[in-house]
């Protein structure tokens, strides 16, 4: 009985981290980008983001898991930062979720969603996916 409770608490905490992360993405999008990309984000990128969070949280026991939180200030303007998953006990980031604007020649604007982890000091770029914006320049984040 007790084991099931722990699994549920852990599962609930991980689900809440995913929800908190999704909230930060929508905040970063702002209304102008959000109205265009929110549905596509939830369908294509959010499941990959959730999987990345689940994988990184597997390395923490239940006691440590409670100290993992989502940062609440996405980067504005042209910043790539969406949110970081932080261990509040050590004040260190565990995983950093970013979005970059790409503008390949003749292809319009794309948003490249990716993340970095503490395992290699945030050096490796792990792809989550790309969403197409349009030919015209997207508005700044959070506008």
């Amino acid at each position: 009985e007790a084991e099931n409770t722990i699994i549920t608490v852990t599962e609930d905490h991980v689900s809440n981290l995913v929800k908190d992360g999704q909230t930060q993405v929508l905040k970063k999008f702002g209304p102008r980008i959000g109205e265009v990309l929110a549905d596509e984000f939830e369908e294509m990128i959010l499941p990959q983001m959730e999987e990345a969070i689940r994988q990184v949280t597997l390395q923490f026991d239940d006691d440590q898991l409670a100290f993992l939180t989502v940062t609440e200030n996405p980067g504005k303007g042209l910043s790539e930062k969406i949110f970081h998953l932080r261990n509040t006990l050590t004040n260190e980031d565990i995983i950093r979720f970013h979005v970059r604007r790409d503008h390949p020649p003749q292809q319009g604007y794309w948003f490249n969603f990716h993340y970095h982890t503490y395992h290699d000091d945030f050096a490796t770029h792990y792809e989550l996916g790309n969403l197409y914006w349009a030919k015209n320049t997207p508005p700044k984040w959070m506008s």
Side-chain angles (χ1 to χ4, degrees), residues 29-37 133 136-140 142-143:
F29 281 177
R32 293 171 63 199
I33 293 174
E35 70 183 32
V36 176
L37 291 184
W133 171 253
N136 59 325
T137 306
K140 286 190 161 71
M142 298 173 76
S143 66

Side-chain angles (χ1 to χ4, degrees), residues 10-46:
T10 300
E11 180 57 33
D12 285 351
H13 188 67
V14 173
S15 294
N16 286 335
L17 291 173
V18 173
K19 282 187 199 120
D20 291 349
Q22 181 178 8
T23 299
Q24 295 310 309
V25 170
L26 297 177
K27 191 193 283 188
K28 180 168 183 75
F29 281 177
R32 293 171 63 199
I33 293 174
E35 70 183 32
V36 176
L37 291 184
D39 291 345
E40 201 176 355
F41 169 82
E42 287 178 22
E43 186 182 317
M44 314 239 334
I45 308 298
L46 186 61

